[in-house]
Amino acid sequence: MVASLAAFAVLSRELGPASYAQFAVFVFVYTMAALATDFSAMGFLLVHGVSGPLRRAAWSSSAVSATAGGVALTAALFVLSFLNLPTGPPRVFDVLILVAGLVTQSLIQPLRGELMVHRRYPTVALTDVGATVAGFAAAILLAAQIHSVTVLCVQLALTSVVRLLLTLALSARGRQRTLRGRASSSPSEMAAPAPNPFRYGLKVLPLNVASYASRAIDSGTLPLILPVGAAAAYARSYQLIVTPVTQVQLSLGGAIVERMARRAALPGDNGTFDKRVWQALHVVTFVAAIVLSVGAPILEKVFFGPGWVHVALMISSMALLLPSLTLSSFMSWKLQIKAELRHSLLNLAVLMLVPLLAIVLGLLYSTIGALIGLAVGALVQGLALATLHRSLLPIPLRYAVAQIVVEWAVLAALLAVRFL
């Protein structure tokens, strides 16, 4: 996270708003192509465990995801060439870079899933940190030579490639010990047939798409609607405020899902672990949101260069989103264990409320309309998630609703100060 923030402070001055507005569109298309073809090989291993047949099943779904994702991304970027993008149509070199990043991102899932199952969290953390530092270091060096969106494409793809290489290298060191332990402790698992990974993937696919689309479809679409400066500030404020928090949640997510699944399988589980996760998430996120909203003018001066507009207002708006995004992360973890298509589709519909409100009001009332849609949607989304998935809540629904309303009211008041 520190490396990401430091690199952002440098790159935002080197590249300027137009490149970031273009990249926001690319990242949205990139990630939607990845998630729409993702059979969740890592989640499959986290839920079902690791054995020879399970590993092979996970690798087969990962290979299909990589192939389909590469094709989908190429097609989507081709469609973008017909739209009025901030810096023009995608170049062939940028397309090839992004496709390479997506393929490696898909192929790493079985390796990361196996590391998570065996609780090799330091190894996972080391690969994430090493890949992030390598990607941003390369981007900073490249930005001194060229000033285009290609720099950001290289950073994104190189991070995936380095993460895959580091994971292969580090996981190989403990593979023999892991295999011996698994063979001696559960020989029946090694012979048991594996569940269908594609069936599991199709059940959780709407959940994965919802988790990202709800957080990025607006910043990926608004560069086509709002003035370039405002759209870039919107997208980069999202990257500055929401992405670091969600990256922490995603890094911890595998371990939390594994622990939740293991606890839920135990007889007499009373949900104590779920309550601790809920409380920790909300306390940390709410405090972070207040600090970020209050410190928005300072963040604007530190992380943004000349030419950026409405930054403090954007930062306070993004901070208002954090509690509802935390609730959506918690529900996403619980739903990965249930793997029920109906719940996943409901989750998808609810999580699309915020970005759709921002887009519709952005079309009608430009920048201010998008921010109002963001603020109103944050409250509606939190209440809808809690109500629809109340059976998954670790606390009574009335307490959850009160918590959501109080957190929103405090952060909305801080946002209102920015409008004055």
Side-chain angles (χ1 to χ4, degrees):
M1 187 184 301
V2 174
S4 175
L5 294 176
F8 173 73
V10 175
L11 294 175
S12 64
R13 288 167 169 79
E14 291 286 342
L15 301 179
S19 293
Y20 274 103
Q22 181 94 343
F23 188 61
V25 180
F26 285 1
V27 167
F28 172 68
V29 171
Y30 172 97
T31 310
M32 287 299 295
L35 292 178
T37 56
D38 180 18
F39 291 100
S40 193
M42 184 174 77
F44 175 78
L45 292 178
L46 289 173
V47 172
H48 294 97
V50 177
S51 67
L54 288 170
R55 289 181 72 249
R56 288 191 291 272
W59 274 108
S60 67
S61 69
S62 178
V64 171
S65 295
T67 304
V71 173
L73 178 59
T74 303
L77 291 173
F78 174 74
V79 172
L80 284 183
S81 65
F82 296 98
L83 301 181
N84 184 25
L85 297 179
T87 63
R91 295 184 299 176
V92 174
F93 187 57
D94 294 336
V95 173
L96 294 176
I97 292 172
L98 292 173
V99 169
L102 188 148
V103 170
T104 54
Q105 178 178 299
S106 298
L107 293 177
I108 199 176
Q109 285 206 40
L111 294 170
R112 287 176 68 86
E114 188 171 356
L115 291 174
M116 289 286 190
V117 169
H118 295 295
R119 302 183 190 175
R120 295 182 60 187
Y121 306 134
T123 300
V124 174
L126 183 59
T127 60
D128 287 341
V129 172
T132 300
V133 171
F136 281 118
I140 291 172
L141 292 174
L142 189 59
Q145 307 299 322
I146 59 175
H147 302 280
S148 74
V149 72
T150 301
V151 173
L152 300 171
C153 294
V154 169
Q155 176 266 315
L156 177 64
L158 187 61
T159 300
S160 294
V161 172
V162 173
R163 183 180 286 117
L164 175 61
L165 295 176
L166 286 175
T167 303
L168 283 169
L170 295 175
S171 61
R173 296 177 58 187
R175 186 174 299 278
Q176 292 302 319
R177 182 183 61 186
T178 300
L179 289 173
R180 286 195 300 269
R182 191 167 65 235
S184 61
S185 61
S186 54
S188 60
E189 288 185 4
M190 300 297 292
N196 189 324
F198 299 101
R199 182 176 300 170
Y200 171 83
L202 288 173
K203 288 180 179 179
V204 301
L205 191 147
L207 180 65
N208 294 332
V209 171
S211 296
Y212 176 76
S214 65
R215 306 178 186 198
I217 189 173
D218 46 351
S219 55
T221 304
L222 289 176
L224 306 176
I225 300 171
L226 303 182
V228 171
Y234 188 101
R236 293 316 297 173
S237 296
Y238 170 89
Q239 293 292 327
L240 179 65
I241 303 303
V242 178
T243 299
V245 175
T246 54
Q247 280 179 342
V248 172
Q249 292 176 357
L250 289 172
S251 297
L252 297 174
I256 291 174
V257 170
E258 186 272 335
R259 188 75 61 86
M260 284 179 169
R262 187 159 46 85
R263 292 293 184 95
L266 295 175
D269 175 58
N270 60 3
T272 301
F273 178 73
D274 289 3
K275 291 178 183 177
R276 291 205 303 266
V277 172
W278 172 276
Q279 292 169 354
L281 279 174
H282 275 274
V283 170
V284 172
T285 305
F286 185 47
V287 172
I290 292 175
V291 172
L292 291 168
S293 187
V294 172
I298 298 174
L299 294 174
E300 179 178 4
K301 292 179 181 178
V302 173
F303 291 104
F304 293 83
W308 295 81
V309 296
H310 306 304
V311 172
L313 189 61
M314 299 288 184
I315 290 174
S316 291
S317 301
M318 296 300 167
L320 180 58
L321 271 181
L322 292 181
S324 66
L325 292 180
T326 294
L327 177 59
S328 72
S329 293
F330 182 87
M331 293 304 176
S332 175
W333 295 333
K334 296 293 291 182
L335 290 172
Q336 283 189 50
I337 299 171
K338 291 179 68 71
E340 292 182 0
L341 183 60
R342 183 176 65 87
H343 281 286
S344 295
L345 290 174
L346 280 174
N347 206 59
L348 173 60
V350 172
L351 293 183
M352 293 303 293
L353 288 173
V354 172
L356 289 180
L357 275 173
I359 292 170
V360 170
L361 293 182
L363 280 168
L364 295 175
Y365 305 110
S366 193
T367 305
I368 298 302
L371 296 180
I372 292 174
L374 201 68
V376 174
L379 177 61
V380 175
Q381 177 180 283
L383 294 175
L385 281 173
T387 303
L388 288 174
H389 300 311
R390 53 187 175 273
S391 62
L392 302 178
L393 290 171
I395 61 176
L397 176 61
R398 62 182 181 276
Y399 295 146
V401 169
Q403 187 176 28
I404 291 166
V405 171
V406 169
E407 291 175 348
W408 182 87
V410 171
L411 295 171
L414 294 175
L415 175 60
V417 173
R418 300 288 169 215
F419 278 99
L420 299 177

